[in-house]
Amino acid sequence: MIYLNKNISSLHLDILKEIGNIGAGHAATALSTLLNKKIDMTVPDVRVVSFDEMMDMAGGSDNVVAGVFLRIEGDAPGSMFFVLPLKQAENFIRALPGSIVFNALETPYNELALSALQELGNILSGSYLSSLSDFTNLSLFPSVPMLNIDMAGAIIGTGLLEVSQASDFAIVIDTALNEEGQSGDSVNGHFFLLPDPDSFQIIFKSLGVQVHE
Amino acid sequence: MNKVLEIVKVGIADMNLVKTPNLIRTSGLGSCVGVVLYDLSAGIAGLAHVMLPDSSLAKGSAFNSAKFADTAIKELVSRMLAIGAKPTCLKAKLAGGAQMFQFSTGSDLMRIGPRNVEAVKKELAFLKISISAEDVGGNSGRTIEFDPKTGKLLIRTVNKGERII
């Protein structure tokens, strides 16, 4: 299985990057329409990381984040996260038309605010997945996205369960979205796509790429 | 002169040992379970950050023993005995095993938290190690820190503050 091999070829990495590019590109467009603002995205980063490194990508396992998690079902199962730092989650909710003031640092969280965040995750991951599905011709369905505001380690740990049965490393396709021209208080979220171990072969095959053993 | 306290950090699917006066910590426990084994009289403690209940879930031959409840606890006990803990003095404290996301149609993996807790308890019972305190279940992440000198486990959560068991 290529998955267990830490040295996957650069061709394979490029393909995964392209997947991140297309998916996040569509998601960025959706976010831009939703907020009526220009959204930038970073060049996707595809990395083979240990579980601890994966936590570091989300700001450390202690870091409190708003995470939308969904399972991808269908031909190539996997897990997907849209992770927003708390500050950015607040900014997003404020940016919505007619929004209430939301202080994410105060509990209990406002139900409307949580629902808005969940919907954000829903829209973004939905556009990511449907473009991925068109690109690969695979049928992929998202589960209902779930939102939780908690430590990054606790949230991302859930998505690592499938992978952890097969290895100690995960292949992560990471793309960040930023509001254009602002670094401080912009909507700055990360997409993490974690295909299940067996899904890589399916994805590569669907794109006509030989998987060497 | 006070010696500077060291805090030993344990990553996900990892384990480590500590001796007084140092502390041991693991952060971001979600569905994972933090298992602390300690021998107060020897001032030795071990912490494992367990991810999955049973090593039979492992696909492939080589695996990291700290990842699974059954193998992690066995390994932790043998490492502690090797540095001078006494088998009869060993006690355990547990934290974690939360369910971070409620899925209506999830696979078995989605209720992994309770299964992890169950598996840890089964293994501890098998090894005749008693559990002196636990804080498991719920749906919040936990960061835990253990002091082998006092035997106290500090549990920090995002929404419910801190408590000591």
Side-chain angles (χ1 to χ4, degrees), chain B residues 57-121:
Chain B
L57 285 169
K59 296 169 186 162
S61 50
F63 62 86
N64 163 9
S65 63
K67 204 185 319 181
F68 304 95
D70 55 341
T71 48
I73 294 172
K74 280 193 191 92
E75 171 79 17
L76 197 58
V77 169
S78 73
R79 283 201 206 174
M80 286 179 69
L81 298 185
I83 62 163
K86 288 197 194 68
T88 47
C89 297
L90 284 184
K91 284 190 172 163
K93 288 192 179 184
L94 316 178
Q99 189 160 358
M100 299 304 297
F101 297 97
Q102 316 287 328
F103 276 91
S104 47
T105 57
S107 65
D108 239 16
L109 267 187
M110 288 305 142
R111 48 171 298 277
I112 202 84
R115 283 175 59 207
N116 276 339
V117 174
E118 236 168 78
V120 166
K121 286 186 175 167

Side-chain angles (χ1 to χ4, degrees), chain A residues 1-208:
Chain A
M1 194 197 292
I2 71 148
Y3 185 76
L4 293 173
N5 186 354
K6 235 199 134 185
N7 311 309
I8 65 173
S9 78
S10 62
L11 173 67
H12 290 128
L13 281 181
D14 281 345
I15 290 166
L16 296 177
K17 257 184 208 168
E18 190 52 24
I19 285 174
N21 211 354
I22 291 174
H26 281 77
T29 311
L31 184 61
S32 169
T33 314
L34 196 66
L35 297 180
N36 201 16
K37 280 183 180 153
K38 271 199 167 177
I39 301 290
D40 281 340
M41 58 179 264
T42 58
V43 178
D45 190 11
V46 177
R47 281 201 267 174
V48 184
V49 294
S50 73
F51 297 157
D52 283 322
E53 285 168 330
M54 167 100 209
M55 303 304 177
D56 290 341
M57 289 170 80
S61 58
D62 251 345
N63 184 32
V64 178
V65 296
V68 176
F69 168 60
L70 59 95
R71 282 288 300 163
I72 301 164
E73 282 144 31
D75 293 339
S79 298
M80 186 169 190
F81 288 96
F82 181 61
V83 177
L84 275 171
L86 263 200
K87 181 102 180 48
Q88 268 76 16
E90 254 178 80
N91 284 344
F92 164 72
I93 291 166
R94 292 222 184 89
L96 281 178
S99 117
I100 24 88
V101 178
F102 171 61
N103 191 347
L105 301 169
E106 264 171 32
T107 50
Y109 301 119
N110 183 307
E111 227 171 90
L112 242 138
L114 289 186
S115 169
L117 267 187
Q118 190 159 351
E119 189 53 24
L120 168 78
N122 197 3
I123 292 171
L124 298 191
S125 49
S127 51
Y128 192 124
L129 267 193
S130 59
S131 64
L132 179 53
S133 172
D134 287 347
F135 174 55
T136 56
N137 248 329
L138 295 170
S139 51
L140 303 169
F141 328 98
S143 70
V144 179
M146 306 297 300
L147 172 80
N148 206 335
I149 297 178
D150 214 313
M151 299 171 190
I155 286 179
I156 290 174
T158 312
L160 292 173
L161 290 174
E162 270 308 325
V163 177
S164 68
Q165 295 179 40
S167 80
D168 290 318
F169 292 92
I171 297 180
V172 193
I173 306 169
D174 174 19
T175 324
L177 302 180
N178 301 301
E179 202 178 308
E180 196 190 45
Q182 291 181 34
S183 51
D185 54 351
S186 56
V187 174
N188 175 341
H190 281 268
F191 274 106
F192 295 123
L193 179 64
L194 287 161
D196 286 354
D198 298 333
S199 297
F200 285 98
Q201 252 152 329
I202 299 166
I203 292 172
F204 291 138
K205 228 182 228 167
S206 75
L207 297 169

